[in-house]
């Protein structure tokens, strides 16, 4: 789905590794039967290989693409380092949960003060972990799978109304601006005003929201 951050994860890896592919967008509010037959959970991204094998769930799809195709490996080879990155990804998932709570609260015109305080606390801890690494990217001097797994939510910070928190986290802010220059990020980037407009329509259960911005 064009605006789904989980689907963007897979597109980032596809572009980063220059894997030839075809994108089929799904309207998650009106899923076609053929899609549910191929992907029983009805989740995106779902990947169908050239020989008809089906893989779904964003982290699993991305790991498969990195392992199955040649080119620069995005995942660390060292098992311990790889495990540490997965632990960090689990921590980041708690931040993602808070972001959606903030979004839903905003849509319902509820007070988000406490939720944003919780977000800042977790986000500051992520800043501290990143600062200790003393590297421009999460895993070193070049972009990695972890960077791509995190990026789609940073791209949507305007939507979640937390973009200003980057000013409180200078290391993550520097990373954010560095990622904006990454070719795969540039290839999958959606402009902030388009994202905001889409999420507004999507929250209103507009079936045409997924086509927002198309000619």
């Amino acid at each position: 789905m064009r605006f789904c951050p989980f689907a963007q994860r897979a597109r980032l890896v596809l572009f980063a590794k220059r894997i030839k592919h075809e994108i089929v967008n799904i309207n998650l509010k009106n899923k076609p039967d053929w899609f549910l037959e191929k992907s029983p959970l009805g989740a995106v991204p779902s990947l169908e290989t050239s020989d008809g094998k089906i893989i779904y769930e964003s982290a699993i799809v991305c790991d498969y693409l990195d392992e199955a195709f040649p080119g620069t490996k995005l995942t660390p080879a060292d098992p311990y380092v790889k495990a540490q990155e997965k632990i960090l990804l689990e921590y980041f998932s708690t931040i993602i949960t808070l972001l959606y709570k903030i979004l839903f609260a905003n849509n319902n015109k509820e007070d988000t003060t406490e939720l944003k305080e919780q977000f800042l606390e977790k986000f500051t801890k992520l800043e501290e972990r990143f600062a200790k690494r003393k590297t421009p990217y999460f895993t070193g001097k070049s972009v990695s799978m972890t960077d791509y797994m995190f990026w789609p939510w940073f791209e949507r910070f305007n939507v979640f109304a937390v973009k200003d928190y980057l000013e409180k986290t200078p290391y993550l802010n520097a990373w954010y601006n560095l990622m904006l220059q990454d070719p795969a990020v540039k290839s999958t980037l959606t402009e902030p005003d388009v994202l905001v407009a889409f999420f507004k329509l999507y929250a209103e259960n507009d079936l045409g929201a997924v086509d927002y911005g198309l000619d």
Side-chain angles (χ1 to χ4, degrees), residues 127 130-144 147 170-180:
E127 164 86 351
F130 185 38
K132 288 178 181 178
R133 299 184 175 212
K134 298 179 180 179
T135 57
Y137 298 97
F138 272 94
T139 323
K141 295 181 179 180
S142 59
V143 68
S144 71
D147 299 295
Y171 289 93
L172 286 172
N173 192 37
W175 171 85
Y176 172 87
N177 286 294
L178 188 60
M179 287 294 289
L180 283 172

Side-chain angles (χ1 to χ4, degrees), residues 1-125:
M1 195 268 273
R2 291 171 58 223
F3 299 102
C4 175
F6 293 99
Q8 187 182 4
R9 281 177 164 178
R11 290 188 286 119
L12 284 163
V13 175
L14 287 163
F15 279 102
K17 294 182 69 73
R18 299 182 181 180
I19 300 170
K20 185 179 179 181
H21 62 279
E22 177 186 3
I23 294 174
V24 178
N25 286 308
I26 301 297
N27 188 334
L28 296 179
K29 290 188 179 294
N30 187 26
K31 301 170 187 174
D33 292 339
W34 65 262
F35 175 66
L36 294 173
E37 290 173 5
K38 290 178 178 291
S39 183
L41 295 182
V44 294
S46 293
L47 174 71
E48 183 172 11
T49 66
S50 57
D51 56 356
K53 296 173 183 174
I54 305 293
I55 303 163
Y56 43 86
E57 294 298 327
S58 63
I60 296 171
V61 168
C62 291
D63 282 344
Y64 171 83
L65 292 171
D66 198 31
E67 293 175 7
F69 289 86
T72 302
K73 291 299 179 185
L74 299 172
T75 306
D78 184 285
Y80 177 75
V81 176
K82 185 175 181 179
Q84 291 300 306
E85 294 309 296
K86 288 186 177 295
I87 290 171
L88 188 61
L89 185 57
E90 284 296 312
Y91 177 77
F92 187 66
S93 68
T94 66
I95 294 176
I96 293 173
T97 300
L98 274 174
L99 288 173
Y100 282 104
K101 286 182 178 180
I102 292 170
L103 178 64
F104 296 145
N106 280 329
N107 288 340
N108 294 327
K109 296 181 171 52
E110 298 170 358
D111 182 28
T112 60
T113 303
E114 185 176 344
L115 287 171
K116 286 189 173 183
E117 287 176 355
Q118 293 176 29
F119 168 79
L120 181 58
E121 180 182 355
K122 287 183 177 293
F123 198 57
T124 301
K125 289 181 180 178

Side-chain angles (χ1 to χ4, degrees), residues 29 107 109 197-209:
K29 290 188 179 294
N107 288 340
K109 296 181 171 52
F198 158 74
F199 272 98
K200 182 177 183 299
L201 291 172
Y202 200 73
E204 296 170 354
N205 290 314
D206 188 325
L207 289 178

